[in-house]
mmCIF file of all heavy atoms in Angstrom:
data_model
loop_
_atom_site.group_PDB
_atom_site.id
_atom_site.type_symbol
_atom_site.label_atom_id
_atom_site.label_comp_id
_atom_site.label_asym_id
_atom_site.label_seq_id
_atom_site.Cartn_x
_atom_site.Cartn_y
_atom_site.Cartn_z
ATOM 1 N N GLU A 1 33.061 -6.895 5.381
ATOM 2 C CA GLU A 1 33.987 -7.490 4.406
ATOM 3 C C GLU A 1 33.330 -8.270 3.280
ATOM 4 O O GLU A 1 33.649 -8.185 2.148
ATOM 5 C CB GLU A 1 35.026 -8.444 5.125
ATOM 6 C CG GLU A 1 36.035 -9.215 4.340
ATOM 7 C CD GLU A 1 36.887 -8.290 3.621
ATOM 8 O OE1 GLU A 1 37.216 -7.224 4.045
ATOM 9 O OE2 GLU A 1 37.461 -8.730 2.544
ATOM 10 N N ILE A 2 32.248 -8.951 3.722
ATOM 11 C CA ILE A 2 31.513 -9.741 2.738
ATOM 12 C C ILE A 2 30.746 -8.826 1.795
ATOM 13 O O ILE A 2 30.671 -8.984 0.588
ATOM 14 C CB ILE A 2 30.502 -10.610 3.481
ATOM 15 C CG1 ILE A 2 31.244 -11.713 4.245
ATOM 16 C CG2 ILE A 2 29.471 -11.294 2.600
ATOM 17 C CD1 ILE A 2 30.329 -12.580 5.180
ATOM 18 N N ALA A 3 30.224 -7.644 2.276
ATOM 19 C CA ALA A 3 29.499 -6.652 1.408
ATOM 20 C C ALA A 3 30.353 -6.014 0.516
ATOM 21 O O ALA A 3 30.094 -5.842 -0.725
ATOM 22 C CB ALA A 3 28.805 -5.541 2.405
ATOM 23 N N VAL A 4 31.665 -5.820 0.939
ATOM 24 C CA VAL A 4 32.658 -5.227 -0.156
ATOM 25 C C VAL A 4 32.944 -6.242 -1.194
ATOM 26 O O VAL A 4 32.980 -5.901 -2.397
ATOM 27 C CB VAL A 4 33.938 -4.830 0.621
ATOM 28 C CG1 VAL A 4 35.004 -4.421 -0.334
ATOM 29 C CG2 VAL A 4 33.660 -3.640 1.566
ATOM 30 N N TYR A 5 33.131 -7.436 -0.873
ATOM 31 C CA TYR A 5 33.300 -8.489 -1.839
ATOM 32 C C TYR A 5 32.159 -8.629 -2.850
ATOM 33 O O TYR A 5 32.329 -8.820 -4.118
ATOM 34 C CB TYR A 5 33.704 -9.868 -1.111
ATOM 35 C CG TYR A 5 34.008 -11.055 -2.077
ATOM 36 C CD1 TYR A 5 35.177 -11.136 -2.626
ATOM 37 C CD2 TYR A 5 32.982 -11.833 -2.415
ATOM 38 C CE1 TYR A 5 35.562 -12.245 -3.480
ATOM 39 C CE2 TYR A 5 33.198 -12.876 -3.282
ATOM 40 C CZ TYR A 5 34.492 -13.008 -3.820
ATOM 41 O OH TYR A 5 34.762 -14.063 -4.689
ATOM 42 N N ALA A 6 30.954 -8.675 -2.280
ATOM 43 C CA ALA A 6 29.783 -8.787 -2.955
ATOM 44 C C ALA A 6 29.645 -7.759 -4.054
ATOM 45 O O ALA A 6 29.253 -7.959 -5.090
ATOM 46 C CB ALA A 6 28.558 -8.846 -2.073
ATOM 47 N N GLU A 7 29.981 -6.597 -3.666
ATOM 48 C CA GLU A 7 29.883 -5.328 -4.528
ATOM 49 C C GLU A 7 30.852 -5.488 -5.639
ATOM 50 O O GLU A 7 30.569 -5.186 -6.807
ATOM 51 C CB GLU A 7 30.051 -4.042 -3.761
ATOM 52 C CG GLU A 7 30.099 -2.760 -4.561
ATOM 53 C CD GLU A 7 28.618 -2.504 -5.098
ATOM 54 O OE1 GLU A 7 27.628 -3.016 -4.464
ATOM 55 O OE2 GLU A 7 28.504 -1.789 -6.020
ATOM 56 N N ARG A 8 32.040 -5.925 -5.343
ATOM 57 C CA ARG A 8 33.118 -6.010 -6.336
ATOM 58 C C ARG A 8 32.886 -7.084 -7.347
ATOM 59 O O ARG A 8 33.211 -6.993 -8.521
ATOM 60 C CB ARG A 8 34.424 -6.210 -5.544
ATOM 61 C CG ARG A 8 35.702 -6.135 -6.576
ATOM 62 C CD ARG A 8 37.001 -6.187 -5.767
ATOM 63 N NE ARG A 8 37.110 -7.355 -5.064
ATOM 64 C CZ ARG A 8 37.138 -7.525 -3.670
ATOM 65 N NH1 ARG A 8 36.972 -6.490 -2.917
ATOM 66 N NH2 ARG A 8 37.342 -8.734 -3.052
ATOM 67 N N THR A 9 32.203 -8.239 -6.895
ATOM 68 C CA THR A 9 32.095 -9.305 -7.897
ATOM 69 C C THR A 9 30.589 -9.549 -8.272
ATOM 70 O O THR A 9 30.296 -10.385 -8.975
ATOM 71 C CB THR A 9 32.401 -10.668 -7.048
ATOM 72 O OG1 THR A 9 31.572 -10.737 -5.935
ATOM 73 C CG2 THR A 9 33.913 -10.562 -6.703
ATOM 74 N N ASP A 10 29.751 -8.549 -8.128
ATOM 75 C CA ASP A 10 28.378 -8.527 -8.541
ATOM 76 C C ASP A 10 28.301 -8.471 -9.947
ATOM 77 O O ASP A 10 28.773 -7.393 -10.619
ATOM 78 C CB ASP A 10 27.551 -7.441 -7.892
ATOM 79 C CG ASP A 10 26.135 -7.476 -8.239
ATOM 80 O OD1 ASP A 10 25.568 -8.627 -8.482
ATOM 81 O OD2 ASP A 10 25.502 -6.371 -8.370
ATOM 82 N N ILE A 11 27.727 -9.450 -10.581
ATOM 83 C CA ILE A 11 27.599 -9.521 -12.157
ATOM 84 C C ILE A 11 26.102 -9.471 -12.608
ATOM 85 O O ILE A 11 25.844 -9.764 -13.775
ATOM 86 C CB ILE A 11 28.327 -10.725 -12.790
ATOM 87 C CG1 ILE A 11 27.780 -11.951 -12.132
ATOM 88 C CG2 ILE A 11 29.857 -10.557 -12.541
ATOM 89 C CD1 ILE A 11 28.368 -13.170 -12.732
ATOM 90 N N ALA A 12 25.234 -9.070 -11.696
ATOM 91 C CA ALA A 12 23.792 -9.203 -11.920
ATOM 92 C C ALA A 12 23.402 -8.259 -13.106
ATOM 93 O O ALA A 12 22.660 -8.525 -14.059
ATOM 94 C CB ALA A 12 22.876 -8.798 -10.779
ATOM 95 N N GLU A 13 24.091 -7.033 -13.117
ATOM 96 C CA GLU A 13 23.830 -5.970 -14.186
ATOM 97 C C GLU A 13 24.254 -6.519 -15.545
ATOM 98 O O GLU A 13 23.576 -6.404 -16.646
ATOM 99 C CB GLU A 13 24.502 -4.581 -13.843
ATOM 100 C CG GLU A 13 23.834 -3.940 -12.725
ATOM 101 C CD GLU A 13 22.522 -3.279 -13.089
ATOM 102 O OE1 GLU A 13 22.265 -3.078 -14.375
ATOM 103 O OE2 GLU A 13 21.742 -3.017 -12.149
ATOM 104 N N GLU A 14 25.385 -7.096 -15.608
ATOM 105 C CA GLU A 14 26.096 -7.593 -16.815
ATOM 106 C C GLU A 14 25.181 -8.809 -17.366
ATOM 107 O O GLU A 14 24.978 -8.922 -18.631
ATOM 108 C CB GLU A 14 27.467 -8.083 -16.629
ATOM 109 C CG GLU A 14 28.412 -6.973 -16.503
ATOM 110 C CD GLU A 14 28.366 -6.420 -15.023
ATOM 111 O OE1 GLU A 14 27.693 -6.907 -14.124
ATOM 112 O OE2 GLU A 14 28.995 -5.298 -14.860
ATOM 113 N N ILE A 15 24.735 -9.636 -16.435
ATOM 114 C CA ILE A 15 23.853 -10.721 -16.984
ATOM 115 C C ILE A 15 22.558 -10.224 -17.531
ATOM 116 O O ILE A 15 22.136 -10.673 -18.605
ATOM 117 C CB ILE A 15 23.523 -11.635 -15.772
ATOM 118 C CG1 ILE A 15 24.778 -12.350 -15.322
ATOM 119 C CG2 ILE A 15 22.483 -12.751 -16.207
ATOM 120 C CD1 ILE A 15 24.697 -13.247 -14.084
ATOM 121 N N LYS A 16 22.122 -9.198 -16.926
ATOM 122 C CA LYS A 16 20.748 -8.654 -17.404
ATOM 123 C C LYS A 16 20.986 -7.980 -18.683
ATOM 124 O O LYS A 16 20.170 -8.169 -19.608
ATOM 125 C CB LYS A 16 20.205 -7.584 -16.395
ATOM 126 C CG LYS A 16 18.882 -7.108 -16.727
ATOM 127 C CD LYS A 16 18.379 -6.125 -15.601
ATOM 128 C CE LYS A 16 16.973 -5.556 -15.954
ATOM 129 N NZ LYS A 16 16.462 -4.665 -14.797
ATOM 130 N N ARG A 17 21.952 -7.177 -18.915
ATOM 131 C CA ARG A 17 22.292 -6.490 -20.160
ATOM 132 C C ARG A 17 22.499 -7.541 -21.280
ATOM 133 O O ARG A 17 22.111 -7.327 -22.355
ATOM 134 C CB ARG A 17 23.375 -5.512 -20.059
ATOM 135 C CG ARG A 17 23.084 -4.238 -19.356
ATOM 136 C CD ARG A 17 23.978 -3.201 -19.533
ATOM 137 N NE ARG A 17 25.371 -3.551 -18.891
ATOM 138 C CZ ARG A 17 25.643 -3.149 -17.630
ATOM 139 N NH1 ARG A 17 24.849 -2.352 -16.979
ATOM 140 N NH2 ARG A 17 26.837 -3.381 -17.206
ATOM 141 N N LEU A 18 23.346 -8.531 -20.974
ATOM 142 C CA LEU A 18 23.655 -9.547 -22.001
ATOM 143 C C LEU A 18 22.364 -10.178 -22.467
ATOM 144 O O LEU A 18 22.121 -10.573 -23.569
ATOM 145 C CB LEU A 18 24.690 -10.493 -21.481
ATOM 146 C CG LEU A 18 25.171 -11.579 -22.441
ATOM 147 C CD1 LEU A 18 25.627 -11.015 -23.823
ATOM 148 C CD2 LEU A 18 26.300 -12.402 -21.790
ATOM 149 N N SER A 19 21.526 -10.621 -21.488
ATOM 150 C CA SER A 19 20.245 -11.222 -21.837
ATOM 151 C C SER A 19 19.362 -10.352 -22.667
ATOM 152 O O SER A 19 18.689 -10.798 -23.605
ATOM 153 C CB SER A 19 19.552 -11.591 -20.517
ATOM 154 O OG SER A 19 18.295 -12.154 -20.823
ATOM 155 N N ALA A 20 19.408 -8.966 -22.401
ATOM 156 C CA ALA A 20 18.603 -8.082 -23.154
ATOM 157 C C ALA A 20 19.190 -7.978 -24.676
ATOM 158 O O ALA A 20 18.341 -7.876 -25.539
ATOM 159 C CB ALA A 20 18.651 -6.696 -22.565
ATOM 160 N N HIS A 21 20.544 -8.025 -24.817
ATOM 161 C CA HIS A 21 21.069 -7.986 -26.096
ATOM 162 C C HIS A 21 20.622 -9.237 -26.882
ATOM 163 O O HIS A 21 20.468 -9.165 -28.062
ATOM 164 C CB HIS A 21 22.619 -8.017 -25.971
ATOM 165 C CG HIS A 21 23.071 -6.747 -25.471
ATOM 166 N ND1 HIS A 21 22.468 -5.415 -25.618
ATOM 167 C CD2 HIS A 21 24.280 -6.379 -24.757
ATOM 168 C CE1 HIS A 21 23.089 -4.443 -25.051
ATOM 169 N NE2 HIS A 21 24.169 -5.037 -24.544
ATOM 170 N N LEU A 22 20.655 -10.364 -26.232
ATOM 171 C CA LEU A 22 20.272 -11.585 -26.916
ATOM 172 C C LEU A 22 18.743 -11.541 -27.517
ATOM 173 O O LEU A 22 18.517 -11.946 -28.589
ATOM 174 C CB LEU A 22 20.278 -12.849 -25.929
ATOM 175 C CG LEU A 22 21.679 -13.375 -25.577
ATOM 176 C CD1 LEU A 22 21.622 -14.447 -24.443
ATOM 177 C CD2 LEU A 22 22.446 -13.773 -26.829
ATOM 178 N N ASP A 23 17.912 -10.932 -26.573
ATOM 179 C CA ASP A 23 16.483 -10.740 -27.013
ATOM 180 C C ASP A 23 16.414 -9.766 -28.287
ATOM 181 O O ASP A 23 15.703 -10.022 -29.258
ATOM 182 C CB ASP A 23 15.662 -10.300 -25.947
ATOM 183 C CG ASP A 23 15.592 -11.245 -24.775
ATOM 184 O OD1 ASP A 23 15.755 -12.484 -25.083
ATOM 185 O OD2 ASP A 23 15.239 -10.944 -23.570
ATOM 186 N N GLN A 24 17.195 -8.760 -28.208
ATOM 187 C CA GLN A 24 17.129 -7.718 -29.288
ATOM 188 C C GLN A 24 17.757 -8.285 -30.468
ATOM 189 O O GLN A 24 17.236 -8.111 -31.659
ATOM 190 C CB GLN A 24 17.964 -6.440 -28.784
ATOM 191 C CG GLN A 24 17.813 -5.405 -29.914
ATOM 192 C CD GLN A 24 18.650 -4.129 -29.494
ATOM 193 O OE1 GLN A 24 19.214 -3.992 -28.376
ATOM 194 N NE2 GLN A 24 18.412 -3.075 -30.287
ATOM 195 N N PHE A 25 18.781 -9.080 -30.466
ATOM 196 C CA PHE A 25 19.362 -9.821 -31.581
ATOM 197 C C PHE A 25 18.393 -10.663 -32.264
ATOM 198 O O PHE A 25 18.242 -10.704 -33.484
ATOM 199 C CB PHE A 25 20.547 -10.609 -31.042
ATOM 200 C CG PHE A 25 21.736 -10.749 -32.017
ATOM 201 C CD1 PHE A 25 22.844 -9.898 -31.852
ATOM 202 C CD2 PHE A 25 21.670 -11.464 -33.237
ATOM 203 C CE1 PHE A 25 23.884 -9.995 -32.792
ATOM 204 C CE2 PHE A 25 22.678 -11.536 -34.133
ATOM 205 C CZ PHE A 25 23.848 -10.809 -33.882
ATOM 206 N N ARG A 26 17.618 -11.522 -31.454
ATOM 207 C CA ARG A 26 16.533 -12.393 -32.051
ATOM 208 C C ARG A 26 15.456 -11.564 -32.702
ATOM 209 O O ARG A 26 15.000 -12.043 -33.726
ATOM 210 C CB ARG A 26 16.075 -13.328 -30.997
ATOM 211 C CG ARG A 26 16.926 -14.386 -30.470
ATOM 212 C CD ARG A 26 16.247 -15.381 -29.574
ATOM 213 N NE ARG A 26 17.116 -16.418 -29.132
ATOM 214 C CZ ARG A 26 17.660 -16.438 -27.955
ATOM 215 N NH1 ARG A 26 17.522 -15.451 -27.054
ATOM 216 N NH2 ARG A 26 18.413 -17.543 -27.497
ATOM 217 N N ASP A 27 15.125 -10.503 -32.132
ATOM 218 C CA ASP A 27 14.020 -9.654 -32.695
ATOM 219 C C ASP A 27 14.421 -9.214 -33.969
ATOM 220 O O ASP A 27 13.520 -9.177 -34.979
ATOM 221 C CB ASP A 27 13.754 -8.635 -31.816
ATOM 222 C CG ASP A 27 12.987 -9.000 -30.358
ATOM 223 O OD1 ASP A 27 12.372 -10.031 -30.407
ATOM 224 O OD2 ASP A 27 12.943 -8.217 -29.468
ATOM 225 N N LEU A 28 15.685 -8.695 -34.095
ATOM 226 C CA LEU A 28 16.111 -8.174 -35.450
ATOM 227 C C LEU A 28 16.218 -9.207 -36.402
ATOM 228 O O LEU A 28 15.798 -9.134 -37.600
ATOM 229 C CB LEU A 28 17.494 -7.563 -35.238
ATOM 230 C CG LEU A 28 17.596 -6.218 -34.474
ATOM 231 C CD1 LEU A 28 18.996 -5.832 -34.252
ATOM 232 C CD2 LEU A 28 16.883 -5.169 -35.359
ATOM 233 N N LEU A 29 16.674 -10.457 -36.041
ATOM 234 C CA LEU A 29 16.689 -11.594 -36.980
ATOM 235 C C LEU A 29 15.365 -12.017 -37.514
ATOM 236 O O LEU A 29 15.123 -12.416 -38.651
ATOM 237 C CB LEU A 29 17.491 -12.712 -36.374
ATOM 238 C CG LEU A 29 18.947 -12.591 -36.125
ATOM 239 C CD1 LEU A 29 19.521 -13.873 -35.509
ATOM 240 C CD2 LEU A 29 19.729 -12.317 -37.447
ATOM 241 N N GLN A 30 14.397 -11.999 -36.606
ATOM 242 C CA GLN A 30 13.050 -12.464 -36.989
ATOM 243 C C GLN A 30 12.108 -11.385 -37.461
ATOM 244 O O GLN A 30 10.931 -11.671 -37.784
ATOM 245 C CB GLN A 30 12.444 -13.097 -35.724
ATOM 246 C CG GLN A 30 13.210 -14.257 -35.218
ATOM 247 C CD GLN A 30 12.754 -14.810 -33.889
ATOM 248 O OE1 GLN A 30 11.743 -14.359 -33.328
ATOM 249 N NE2 GLN A 30 13.385 -15.776 -33.302
ATOM 250 N N GLY A 31 12.567 -10.084 -37.372
ATOM 251 C CA GLY A 31 11.647 -8.987 -37.858
ATOM 252 C C GLY A 31 11.420 -8.952 -39.305
ATOM 253 O O GLY A 31 12.062 -9.525 -40.120
ATOM 254 N N SER A 32 10.244 -8.361 -39.658
ATOM 255 C CA SER A 32 9.768 -8.297 -41.031
ATOM 256 C C SER A 32 10.175 -7.026 -41.769
ATOM 257 O O SER A 32 10.007 -6.927 -42.934
ATOM 258 C CB SER A 32 8.238 -8.453 -40.985
ATOM 259 O OG SER A 32 7.694 -7.422 -40.220
ATOM 260 N N ASN A 33 10.915 -6.191 -40.998
ATOM 261 C CA ASN A 33 11.314 -4.878 -41.595
ATOM 262 C C ASN A 33 12.392 -5.240 -42.722
ATOM 263 O O ASN A 33 13.312 -5.959 -42.455
ATOM 264 C CB ASN A 33 11.963 -3.947 -40.585
ATOM 265 C CG ASN A 33 12.132 -2.575 -41.056
ATOM 266 O OD1 ASN A 33 12.360 -2.327 -42.217
ATOM 267 N ND2 ASN A 33 11.805 -1.669 -40.153
ATOM 268 N N ALA A 34 12.316 -4.557 -43.848
ATOM 269 C CA ALA A 34 13.108 -4.837 -44.949
ATOM 270 C C ALA A 34 14.478 -4.082 -44.874
ATOM 271 O O ALA A 34 15.323 -4.362 -45.798
ATOM 272 C CB ALA A 34 12.467 -4.673 -46.323
ATOM 273 N N ARG A 35 14.560 -3.185 -43.977
ATOM 274 C CA ARG A 35 15.850 -2.324 -43.882
ATOM 275 C C ARG A 35 16.981 -3.350 -43.451
ATOM 276 O O ARG A 35 16.836 -4.292 -42.863
ATOM 277 C CB ARG A 35 15.589 -1.309 -42.881
ATOM 278 C CG ARG A 35 15.506 -1.710 -41.494
ATOM 279 C CD ARG A 35 15.383 -0.579 -40.491
ATOM 280 N NE ARG A 35 15.292 -0.935 -39.189
ATOM 281 C CZ ARG A 35 16.233 -1.182 -38.408
ATOM 282 N NH1 ARG A 35 17.425 -1.047 -38.768
ATOM 283 N NH2 ARG A 35 16.081 -1.654 -37.037
ATOM 284 N N PRO A 36 18.281 -2.845 -43.981
ATOM 285 C CA PRO A 36 19.414 -3.595 -43.631
ATOM 286 C C PRO A 36 19.669 -3.686 -42.112
ATOM 287 O O PRO A 36 19.444 -2.609 -41.505
ATOM 288 C CB PRO A 36 20.533 -2.838 -44.336
ATOM 289 C CG PRO A 36 19.849 -2.191 -45.403
ATOM 290 C CD PRO A 36 18.500 -1.744 -44.884
ATOM 291 N N ILE A 37 20.068 -4.737 -41.600
ATOM 292 C CA ILE A 37 20.368 -4.976 -40.183
ATOM 293 C C ILE A 37 21.760 -5.320 -39.802
ATOM 294 O O ILE A 37 22.169 -5.507 -38.635
ATOM 295 C CB ILE A 37 19.369 -5.908 -39.484
ATOM 296 C CG1 ILE A 37 19.521 -7.310 -40.105
ATOM 297 C CG2 ILE A 37 17.902 -5.342 -39.580
ATOM 298 C CD1 ILE A 37 18.694 -8.344 -39.325
ATOM 299 N N GLY A 38 22.530 -5.601 -40.858
ATOM 300 C CA GLY A 38 23.968 -6.174 -40.632
ATOM 301 C C GLY A 38 24.733 -5.368 -39.619
ATOM 302 O O GLY A 38 25.313 -5.852 -38.704
ATOM 303 N N ARG A 39 24.844 -4.000 -39.894
ATOM 304 C CA ARG A 39 25.574 -3.242 -38.987
ATOM 305 C C ARG A 39 25.028 -3.090 -37.603
ATOM 306 O O ARG A 39 26.006 -3.001 -36.583
ATOM 307 C CB ARG A 39 25.698 -1.864 -39.620
ATOM 308 C CG ARG A 39 26.527 -1.704 -40.781
ATOM 309 C CD ARG A 39 26.853 -0.215 -41.327
ATOM 310 N NE ARG A 39 27.743 -0.171 -42.448
ATOM 311 C CZ ARG A 39 27.246 -0.047 -43.656
ATOM 312 N NH1 ARG A 39 25.986 0.009 -43.890
ATOM 313 N NH2 ARG A 39 28.080 -0.045 -44.776
ATOM 314 N N THR A 40 23.767 -3.132 -37.482
ATOM 315 C CA THR A 40 23.119 -3.075 -36.090
ATOM 316 C C THR A 40 23.560 -4.390 -35.389
ATOM 317 O O THR A 40 23.946 -4.476 -34.152
ATOM 318 C CB THR A 40 21.679 -2.920 -36.187
ATOM 319 O OG1 THR A 40 21.297 -1.818 -36.920
ATOM 320 C CG2 THR A 40 21.033 -2.863 -34.896
ATOM 321 N N LEU A 41 23.454 -5.506 -36.145
ATOM 322 C CA LEU A 41 23.823 -6.833 -35.537
ATOM 323 C C LEU A 41 25.419 -6.786 -35.108
ATOM 324 O O LEU A 41 25.728 -7.350 -34.067
ATOM 325 C CB LEU A 41 23.613 -7.965 -36.451
ATOM 326 C CG LEU A 41 22.061 -8.243 -36.816
ATOM 327 C CD1 LEU A 41 22.004 -9.390 -37.783
ATOM 328 C CD2 LEU A 41 21.304 -8.391 -35.562
ATOM 329 N N ASP A 42 26.143 -6.250 -35.965
ATOM 330 C CA ASP A 42 27.621 -6.177 -35.706
ATOM 331 C C ASP A 42 27.820 -5.381 -34.399
ATOM 332 O O ASP A 42 28.676 -5.796 -33.603
ATOM 333 C CB ASP A 42 28.268 -5.544 -36.863
ATOM 334 C CG ASP A 42 29.884 -5.683 -36.748
ATOM 335 O OD1 ASP A 42 30.310 -6.621 -36.074
ATOM 336 O OD2 ASP A 42 30.600 -4.951 -37.427
ATOM 337 N N PHE A 43 27.170 -4.280 -34.286
ATOM 338 C CA PHE A 43 27.236 -3.426 -33.051
ATOM 339 C C PHE A 43 26.819 -4.173 -31.737
ATOM 340 O O PHE A 43 27.496 -4.190 -30.764
ATOM 341 C CB PHE A 43 26.427 -2.208 -33.260
ATOM 342 C CG PHE A 43 26.409 -1.351 -32.015
ATOM 343 C CD1 PHE A 43 27.454 -0.512 -31.535
ATOM 344 C CD2 PHE A 43 25.187 -1.310 -31.227
ATOM 345 C CE1 PHE A 43 27.415 0.233 -30.480
ATOM 346 C CE2 PHE A 43 25.226 -0.566 -30.000
ATOM 347 C CZ PHE A 43 26.243 0.198 -29.587
#
């Protein structure tokens, strides 16, 4: 029963992906590439 609940409420993957999005967002903001990034940031 505990294993079923743990599987249903596990948010480790979401936390990891959201953290990765934050890092990518910062990289784009701080990058030296002159290409437009607005649409990428919006996505």
Side-chain angles (χ1 to χ4, degrees):
E1 177 65 24
I2 295 173
V4 170
Y5 179 82
E7 179 67 23
R8 188 171 65 248
T9 60
D10 181 31
I11 56 175
E13 289 287 338
E14 287 76 11
I15 292 174
K16 185 176 181 180
R17 284 195 294 266
L18 181 51
S19 179
H21 291 333
L22 290 174
D23 292 339
Q24 187 176 1
F25 215 104
R26 289 194 179 94
D27 290 342
L28 288 170
L29 289 177
Q30 298 170 2
S32 57
N33 196 324
R35 67 181 179 85
I37 61 172
R39 289 193 178 92
T40 304
L41 296 181
D42 193 23
F43 172 77

